[in-house]
Amino acid sequence: MDNFVVSARKYRPLGFDEVVGQEHITTTLKNAIDNNKLAQALLFCGPRGVGKTTCARIVARLINGFEEKAETNSLNIFELDAASNNSVEDIRNLIDQVRYPPQFGKFKVYIIDEVHMLSNAAFNAFLKTLEEPPSYAIFILATTEKHKVIPTILSRCQIFDFNRIQVSDIARQLKKIAEREGISAEDEALHLIAQKADGALRDGLSIFDLMVTFSSGEKVTFNDVLSNLHILDYDYYFKMIDGLLAESTATPLLLLDEILKKGFDGQNFITGLGEHLRNLLVAQDARTVALMEVPDSVKQKYISQAQAAAPSLLLSWLNIAGTCDIHYKASRNQRLLVELALMKMAHVNAVIKSNSEGGLKKKLN
């Protein structure tokens, strides 16, 4: 227990080459450092868990000549959490520190996390120092909410926008870590964890640690991830679509009953069904198959099922699912609303056929 370190800390990147999914940022920063053209005020923006603080620490080490990829705590690197140090007094203390040149290394680097939490008075107190810092001072501000940072601060910073990390990149990184730790993990399980992480590698690593703990260090399986994260299996949606294609109302209703009895929420189901229908639509064209963020084995199932449904039918179903999702929270009988949507879907094909036959008869007459 004493020696356990969570994966997010244990595998925190120590060099730009290890940062996942932010090549546009790491390349720019590396070139700026190599060519001695690094701005003195940087603003790192983006969702949580995508590498903002990590990149700030890497920059701090590299510009001070700490070339070795080892965590170096030095008197030159100061980290401030603006969420809890957001007053004018805190910023004044920081400005007082800036006045003294570094005792060791070339630069003093100030990393201010969650900078949007600073009060307006604190922002204003910081303006002059940020605009004309001493030659040895570098300020790296990080925020998840750029729109809350006042324009006068934004105009004084070089802004770097971090992306949400792609599911495939997170899954690949999880696989590398599993191999390093000697843990057997199914590709489908890692892909599901990556999807649940919602673009944040740190969240993905936390879920991975949870699943490894559950499996007692043995194999991380797809079914274990499904049950622990309370995610509905893809197979339910494939069975649902098969029932709808057969124009059966019984199959979808029975499947819905089984899903609800397992404790899943009706709105989560209808949202998932909409996502499934969207995937079937993109699976109908070889050029758009890559837009599906699912494991390769599941992609083949989508491609196979997509051949059985016309695009017009899928669009009609998607429209019904979207309408149900919109009205779900306001409905007094939410189960009936979802059931009604499924019954409509089951009979859409018959309505389309009868309309087309009616139109044909009119033309013949």
Side-chain angles (χ1 to χ4, degrees):
M1 185 69 186
D2 291 339
N3 298 323
F4 178 72
V5 180
V6 294
S7 296
R9 284 184 59 200
K10 187 175 181 180
Y11 294 100
R12 182 189 283 272
L14 298 173
F16 284 135
D17 55 323
E18 296 175 16
V19 176
V20 177
Q22 307 295 349
E23 288 76 14
H24 64 298
I25 302 280
T26 56
T27 303
T28 306
L29 289 172
K30 191 174 184 303
N31 290 342
I33 293 168
D34 291 345
N35 298 318
N36 199 26
K37 291 183 177 178
L38 187 71
Q40 284 188 269
L42 310 174
L43 178 63
F44 290 174
C45 315
R48 70 184 191 283
V50 295
K52 298 185 296 297
T53 306
T54 293
C55 284
R57 290 177 181 175
I58 293 170
V59 168
R61 285 200 301 274
L62 291 182
I63 62 176
N64 275 303
F66 303 136
E67 293 293 342
E68 75 279 358
K69 291 181 182 180
E71 295 238 23
T72 309
N73 291 321
S74 120
L75 295 172
N76 297 50
I77 303 170
F78 303 88
E79 290 196 31
L80 180 74
D81 176 26
S84 53
N85 299 276
N86 56 10
S87 68
V88 175
E89 195 60 38
D90 294 316
I91 292 299
R92 281 179 183 157
N93 291 338
L94 182 128
I95 293 167
D96 287 339
Q97 289 181 27
V98 174
R99 290 175 186 161
Y100 302 102
Q103 300 296 309
F104 175 74
K106 301 173 186 175
F107 296 96
K108 289 175 85 172
V109 183
Y110 296 87
I111 300 169
I112 306 178
D113 216 352
E114 301 299 336
V115 73
H116 65 273
M117 299 290 283
L118 288 178
S119 65
N120 278 336
F123 270 131
N124 291 326
F126 194 31
L127 284 176
K128 189 65 179 173
T129 305
L130 199 63
E131 187 172 19
E132 296 177 5
S135 59
Y136 52 79
I138 303 285
F139 293 98
I140 305 177
L141 317 180
T143 179
T144 52
E145 301 183 57
K146 184 170 76 173
H147 62 281
K148 290 186 179 179
V149 180
I150 62 174
T152 45
I153 292 286
L154 293 176
S155 65
R156 286 164 170 77
C157 297
Q158 200 170 79
I159 299 171
F160 293 85
D161 287 304
F162 284 68
N163 296 330
R164 287 174 74 254
I165 302 172
Q166 296 294 315
V167 170
S168 55
D169 289 336
I170 295 176
R172 201 176 301 118
Q173 183 69 4
L174 291 176
K175 189 169 185 178
K176 283 183 189 174
I177 290 170
E179 287 170 357
R180 281 195 208 173
E181 293 288 321
I183 295 164
S184 175
E186 294 177 0
D187 287 344
E188 289 83 359
L190 297 179
H191 204 283
L192 199 59
I193 292 170
Q195 280 183 300
K196 191 72 174 176
D198 194 29
L201 181 57
R202 185 173 61 221
D203 290 9
L205 291 169
S206 297
I207 297 169
F208 176 75
D209 284 344
L210 177 70
M211 296 314 306
V212 170
T213 305
F214 174 79
S215 62
S216 300
E218 296 173 5
K219 190 169 186 177
V220 175
T221 66
F222 179 72
N223 286 332
D224 284 347
V225 175
L226 279 177
S227 59
N228 270 269
L229 300 184
H230 203 60
I231 298 171
L232 197 55
D233 193 348
Y234 295 114
D235 284 343
Y236 275 107
Y237 295 116
F238 284 111
K239 288 176 188 174
M240 187 70 70
I241 297 302
D242 286 340
L244 293 173
L245 286 169
E247 298 183 22
S248 162
T249 54
T251 302
L253 292 180
L254 289 170
L255 279 170
L256 176 65
D257 183 62
E258 187 179 335
I259 290 164
L260 295 176
K261 281 179 178 174
K262 286 193 170 187
F264 289 95
D265 179 61
Q267 188 163 30
N268 286 344
F269 161 73
I270 208 73
T271 304
L273 184 60
E275 180 69 19
H276 185 89
L277 292 168
R278 176 260 183 196
N279 285 341
L280 288 175
L281 278 166
V282 299
Q284 292 188 329
D285 191 322
R287 294 170 297 178
T288 55
V289 166
L291 296 176
M292 285 191 290
E293 293 186 330
V294 294
D296 290 338
S297 58
V298 181
K299 270 184 189 175
Q300 295 308 314
K301 286 185 179 180
Y302 274 111
I303 292 167
S304 175
Q305 192 172 67
Q307 306 311 312
S312 58
L313 179 62
L314 292 174
L315 283 168
S316 297
W317 285 348
L318 195 54
N319 188 39
I320 293 168
T323 304
C324 178
D325 188 26
I326 290 166
H327 294 113
Y328 187 86
K329 285 194 175 176
S331 174
R332 292 194 176 187
N333 192 338
Q334 294 172 333
R335 175 171 180 150
L336 179 60
L337 184 71
V338 178
E339 288 176 337
L340 185 60
L342 292 174
M343 287 187 276
K344 282 180 182 176
M345 290 179 192
H347 290 97
V348 162
N349 214 13
V351 172
I352 292 171
K353 284 177 185 174
S354 64
N355 286 344
S356 60
E357 285 171 6
L360 184 63
K361 284 179 183 177
K362 282 182 182 178
K363 283 182 182 179
L364 291 172
N365 291 334

